[in-house]
């Protein structure tokens, strides 16, 4: 008797797969609406076109129904991104719940969820042109579990305080300097999206690994604002992610930020606070 054919569907591997559940219940995306926003890119009007210098931070107001396009015009560059409700900055990107809803790495039609008591999408990605080059660690781009580098991160990596990255040239201080003109401070710097960063997970240990970004010059990600938001960016000293944080020889580049009007009002976002 060939036992392999006796109990189809009841082998150990298949039993285990039956026990896998998606981590978090999530309302369905209004797919046609966002495809329409994406497909209307050629009709958008560019209201702002700003080149953000390498190793710096900057924040932009993105009105509801507008798109913020982040372009790696000069090649791959990791950008740390925070998002706030423009009118109530206590409502801000909730990285952990975005991870639970959308997965570890975001892409086209991922939603960026905000904090309680509203717990609603603040922005939705309508286009991501970065192509993931397959990797052994199944690494992908735009990771939502990495947070931002800071003086201690670089002190530990470089083994010294005597380097600009271990002082003020890092994502913490870039994000802080980006939001200070808007009346926000240290306590408002929150866990963030790592745009264009390629992150994988080692299956046997669960450790995170960074791989060089696959973004090409001109690759971009479009974020559609569900309400008036403030987006803050830091151009990370880690540059493309090609070098480990134990070396000071990084490859930082500028990026372009465009704010575009779409002429498409968002779907209703006024949920009851919990
Ligand atoms: Zn950084």
């Amino acid at each position: 008797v060939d036992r392999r054919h006796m109990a189809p569907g009841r082998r150990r591997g298949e039993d285990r797969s039956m026990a896998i559940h998606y981590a978090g219940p999530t309302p369905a995306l209004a797919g046609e609406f966002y495809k329409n926003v994406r497909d209307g890119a050629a009709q958008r009007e560019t209201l702002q076109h700003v080149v953000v210098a390498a190793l710096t931070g900057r924040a932009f107001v993105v009105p509801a129904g507008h798109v913020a396009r982040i372009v790696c015009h000069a090649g791959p560059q990791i950008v740390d991104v925070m998002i706030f409700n423009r009118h109530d900055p206590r409502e801000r990107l909730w990285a952990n719940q975005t991870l639970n809803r959308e997965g570890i790495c975001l892409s086209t039609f991922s939603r960026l969820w905000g904090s309680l008591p509203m717990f609603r999408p603040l922005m939705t990605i309508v286009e991501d042109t970065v192509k993931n080059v397959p990797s052994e660690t199944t690494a992908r781009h735009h990771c939502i579990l990495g947070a931002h580098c800071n003086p201690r991160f670089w002190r530990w990596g470089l083994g010294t305080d005597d380097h600009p990255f271990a002082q003020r040239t890092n994502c913490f201080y870039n994000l802080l300097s980006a939001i200070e003109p808007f009346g926000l401070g240290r306590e408002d710097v929150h866990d963030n999206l790592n745009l264009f960063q390629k992150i994988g997970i080692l299956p046997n240990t669960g450790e995170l690994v960074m791989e060089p970004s696959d973004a090409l010059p001109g690759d971009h990600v479009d974020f559609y604002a569900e309400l008036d938001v403030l987006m803050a960016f830091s151009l990370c000293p880690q540059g493309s992610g090609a070098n480990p944080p134990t070396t000071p020889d990084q490859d930082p580049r500028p990026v372009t930020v465009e704010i575009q009007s779409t002429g498409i009002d968002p779907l209703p976002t006024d949920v009851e606070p919990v």
Side-chain angles (χ1 to χ4, degrees):
V1 174
D2 185 347
R3 297 185 64 86
R4 287 174 298 178
H5 299 296
M6 285 185 66
R10 300 190 64 185
R11 287 168 296 186
R12 180 176 294 178
E14 292 184 20
D15 283 346
R16 287 172 63 86
S17 74
M18 294 294 284
I20 292 172
H21 301 286
Y22 189 57
T26 304
L29 182 84
E32 289 306 313
F33 176 85
Y34 293 103
K35 284 177 191 161
N36 189 38
V37 175
R38 177 193 63 191
D39 295 344
Q43 280 77 50
R44 293 182 205 150
E45 182 186 356
T46 299
L47 306 179
Q48 268 185 288
H49 176 106
V50 177
V51 175
V52 182
L55 300 174
T56 68
R58 176 117 181 215
F60 295 81
V61 172
V62 189
H66 288 57
V67 161
R69 169 172 290 188
I70 322 305
V71 190
C72 282
H73 69 266
Q77 169 61 44
I78 296 165
V79 182
D80 289 48
V81 182
M82 297 195 300
I83 305 171
F84 301 88
N85 178 334
R86 175 73 184 100
H87 308 291
D88 180 4
R90 291 172 298 182
E91 184 180 9
R92 57 190 60 175
L93 176 66
W94 193 358
N96 283 140
Q97 288 288 11
T98 298
L99 185 160
N100 283 337
R101 313 260 87 63
E102 312 294 334
I104 292 164
C105 293
L106 308 187
S107 189
T108 306
F109 301 140
S110 297
R111 289 166 283 187
L112 293 118
W113 294 81
S115 50
L116 285 168
M118 304 308 275
F119 195 9
R120 59 183 171 178
L122 302 177
M123 306 191 86
T124 301
I125 294 175
V126 291
E127 186 166 61
D128 167 18
T129 67
V130 179
K131 300 280 185 294
N132 292 293
V133 174
S135 116
E136 285 183 6
T137 65
T138 67
R140 303 176 64 81
H141 293 80
H142 320 313
C143 155
I144 192 74
L145 43 60
H148 43 268
C149 69
N150 56 71
R152 266 204 240 300
F153 171 100
W154 287 105
R155 184 184 306 166
W156 294 332
L158 299 174
T160 177
D161 285 330
D162 189 24
H163 190 282
F165 297 170
Q167 296 171 16
R168 292 266 170 164
T169 305
N170 49 62
C171 287
F172 173 75
Y173 277 105
N174 286 347
L175 291 169
L176 181 59
S177 68
I179 61 175
E180 278 176 336
F182 295 89
L184 302 176
R186 281 174 175 262
E187 65 280 9
D188 299 303
V189 178
H190 61 75
D191 279 354
N192 53 277
L193 171 65
N194 296 118
L195 195 63
F196 301 115
Q197 189 172 30
K198 190 177 188 185
I199 290 284
I201 296 179
L202 298 179
N204 293 332
T205 64
E207 289 171 287
L208 296 186
V209 288
M210 181 172 68
E211 300 184 9
S213 175
D214 301 324
L216 300 171
D219 267 332
H220 62 263
V221 180
D222 286 356
F223 296 81
Y224 177 80
E226 304 290 350
L227 55 161
D228 294 346
V229 299
L230 179 70
M231 284 187 98
F233 304 109
S234 166
L235 277 59
C236 182
Q238 290 188 93
S240 71
N243 296 319
T246 48
T247 168
D249 303 321
Q250 308 289 319
D251 55 355
R253 297 182 175 91
V255 301
T256 300
V257 176
E258 292 185 5
I259 309 300
Q260 306 169 336
S261 65
T262 67
I264 302 173
D265 290 333
L267 298 170
T269 54
D270 49 336
V271 296
E272 289 293 320
V274 300

